[in-house]
Amino acid sequence: MKKISTVAMCRNKIFNEPKLTIGLDLGDRTSHYCILNEAGNVILERSLPTTPNGIHQTCSKIPRSRIALETGTHSPWVSRQLSQVGHEVIVAHARNVRLIGESSRKDDQLDAQTLARPARIDPGLLGPVRHRGAKAQIHLTVIRARAALVSTRTALVNAARGLTKSYGERLRKCGTGQMNREIAKGLSQELRDALGPLLQEIESLNERVAEYDRRIEQIAKEAHPEVALLQQVKGVGTLIALTYVLTLDDPHRFRRSRDAGCFLGLRPGRRNSGMSEPQMHISKEGDRYLRTLIVQGAHYILGPFGEDSDLRRWGLKLAERGGMNAKKRAVVAVARKLAVLLHKLWVSGEVYEPLRNNRKVASAAA
């Protein structure tokens, strides 16, 4: 007669209970989960390998439950896999789960329980986020890989210029994309020999970045035709437009276009209490890289080569108000309006009119 283990019997009994809530604390190699019943009592605490096979073997045997996990490196693929198995997945924003990071009794089992309890009562307390799809993530990985190369190239260029100056010489001015061994021709022979391998590595990075640029253009053209709608705004190139589309993933996730600026952390923070309404900096929530690109686009719009438009006129008027930080505030404000404008163009599919508001005013005056 086959022996049935006590653990197996307990699990069968547990999984027959209705409305299970599970907190899953993801680790790099091992994750811990805590299962609560409908009354909020802990009925099982275990660990599992943080691998696709480990997640599938454990979670596919559990009936449809509500599973809460925290944003992190593994949360995108884990949340997709859990959804495929049939569970209701809540990805908690790290800022909304400070009970975990700031707890004086922090361990994996308690963290899993801390995720499960608010998920059972009200998932909104966790500030749930929505991860993008697998296709959008792999395309965004190309952009992030390019950004990593650009960052490395900038560091190497700065190192080359700094080392040259410390020897009493200088490399002539050029963009990072034009930096190569030819730039070192005016230097002394011993300095050229010392910097040769470094400059050669910069040349190689320039080639790799150019390859990524071609791939990004190809991805935008073949997989994301909506990018062309965003590129109608002068100052928004393929990189900014494609990153915007891939990061937001679904334009209809927002009730109104104005929410796109808040999503990127470009709205001022708020800490009103009683009669106190202090002026605060922008929240800087959301995707940092996309926010950086949008701000770069705003700099171009307000710069000497920016196209005459309602957005540029509004931003320049804002910058003229004076004060030490007037220009900085104008750039951030234009970036917020640019994020809203791009979402509006994406959703509506309209043809962009740079001076639309100005034309309306002129028509009304006539």
Side-chain angles (χ1 to χ4, degrees):
M1 185 175 176
K2 192 174 180 181
K3 209 173 174 186
I4 301 174
S5 69
T6 308
V7 174
M9 290 179 66
C10 281
R11 286 192 177 183
N12 290 334
K13 184 179 178 182
I14 287 168
F15 294 161
N16 286 331
E17 292 201 24
K19 295 185 179 180
L20 296 176
T21 305
I22 303 172
L24 179 60
D25 182 61
L26 296 174
D28 190 48
R29 296 187 179 275
T30 305
S31 300
H32 289 74
Y33 64 93
C34 170
I35 302 180
L36 306 179
N37 62 13
E38 190 174 1
N41 299 318
V42 177
I43 55 177
L44 185 66
E45 290 180 310
R46 291 284 185 276
S47 63
L48 55 88
T50 311
T51 61
N53 189 44
I55 296 289
H56 180 77
Q57 282 188 352
T58 301
C59 298
S60 61
K61 298 174 184 176
I62 302 175
R64 189 178 191 277
S65 308
R66 175 179 290 172
I67 301 181
L69 52 118
E70 191 179 359
T71 52
T73 304
H74 297 285
S75 62
W77 70 265
V78 172
S79 62
R80 284 197 297 269
Q81 188 167 359
L82 292 174
S83 296
Q84 289 169 3
V85 174
H87 294 292
E88 177 192 354
V89 183
I90 300 167
V91 183
H93 197 299
R95 289 191 179 187
N96 288 52
V97 201
R98 291 188 176 179
L99 287 172
I100 292 178
E102 299 177 3
S103 174
S104 58
R105 293 183 58 214
K106 189 180 187 316
D107 63 57
D108 296 333
Q109 288 185 345
L110 283 175
D111 293 349
Q113 193 177 140
T114 304
L115 282 167
R117 293 203 177 281
R120 185 183 71 88
I121 301 168
D122 182 4
L125 296 172
L126 296 173
V129 300
R130 195 174 93 187
H131 283 305
R132 60 189 62 85
K135 182 181 177 183
Q137 186 176 355
I138 196 63
H139 288 164
L140 196 58
T141 300
V142 174
I143 293 175
R144 294 301 177 86
R146 178 194 179 276
L149 288 183
V150 170
S151 178
T152 302
R153 180 181 65 180
T154 301
L156 292 181
V157 169
N158 290 340
R161 292 193 179 279
L163 292 169
T164 306
K165 289 179 183 179
S166 67
Y167 199 71
E169 302 184 40
R170 286 178 182 271
L171 288 168
R172 69 172 184 264
K173 290 183 178 181
C174 68
T176 52
Q178 289 75 47
M179 179 69 76
N180 53 40
R181 282 169 289 183
E182 295 295 320
I183 298 292
K185 279 189 173 179
L187 303 178
S188 58
Q189 184 60 47
E190 59 268 27
L191 196 53
R192 287 205 304 272
D193 294 340
L195 296 179
L198 179 61
L199 295 174
Q200 186 176 1
E201 193 63 34
I202 294 172
E203 286 184 21
S204 176
L205 286 174
N206 284 333
E207 293 173 4
R208 301 291 84 77
V209 170
E211 287 178 13
Y212 271 122
D213 286 338
R214 289 191 289 271
R215 287 184 63 182
I216 288 170
E217 291 287 348
Q218 185 179 4
I219 290 171
K221 184 178 180 181
E222 296 178 357
H224 300 280
E226 62 271 24
V227 165
L229 293 171
L230 279 57
Q231 287 183 275
Q232 295 180 92
V233 183
K234 191 173 181 182
V236 176
T238 305
L239 179 62
I240 296 178
L242 183 60
T243 306
Y244 187 93
V245 167
L246 293 175
T247 303
L248 270 61
D249 197 23
D250 179 13
H252 302 292
R253 64 190 301 179
F254 302 122
R255 186 171 58 87
R256 53 183 184 176
S257 295
R258 186 179 295 181
D259 294 336
C262 301
F263 176 75
L264 295 180
L266 291 167
R267 64 163 177 81
R270 186 171 60 187
R271 194 177 291 275
N272 297 350
S273 178
M275 300 298 292
S276 174
E277 295 185 11
Q279 185 178 4
M280 301 183 68
H281 297 290
I282 58 173
S283 64
K284 293 188 178 180
E285 295 175 340
D287 191 274
R288 180 179 180 180
Y289 181 63
L290 177 56
R291 185 169 59 252
T292 301
L293 291 180
I294 293 291
V295 170
Q296 289 177 2
H299 272 290
Y300 182 90
I301 289 172
L302 293 176
F305 304 107
E307 180 186 38
D308 185 23
S309 63
D310 294 327
L311 187 57
R312 175 180 168 83
R313 292 183 181 185
W314 179 81
L316 291 176
K317 188 178 292 185
L318 198 63
E320 290 172 358
R321 290 184 180 179
M324 290 180 59
N325 296 319
K327 180 65 183 296
K328 290 182 180 179
R329 287 197 297 269
V331 169
V332 173
V334 169
R336 183 170 59 251
K337 278 189 173 288
L338 178 60
V340 174
L341 172 62
L342 294 180
H343 183 268
K344 185 67 177 178
L345 291 173
W346 187 5
V347 172
S348 66
E350 296 177 3
V351 175
Y352 174 58
E353 299 178 55
L355 295 171
R356 181 177 184 177
N357 292 339
N358 188 63
R359 178 176 58 79
K360 286 183 177 179
V361 172
S363 300

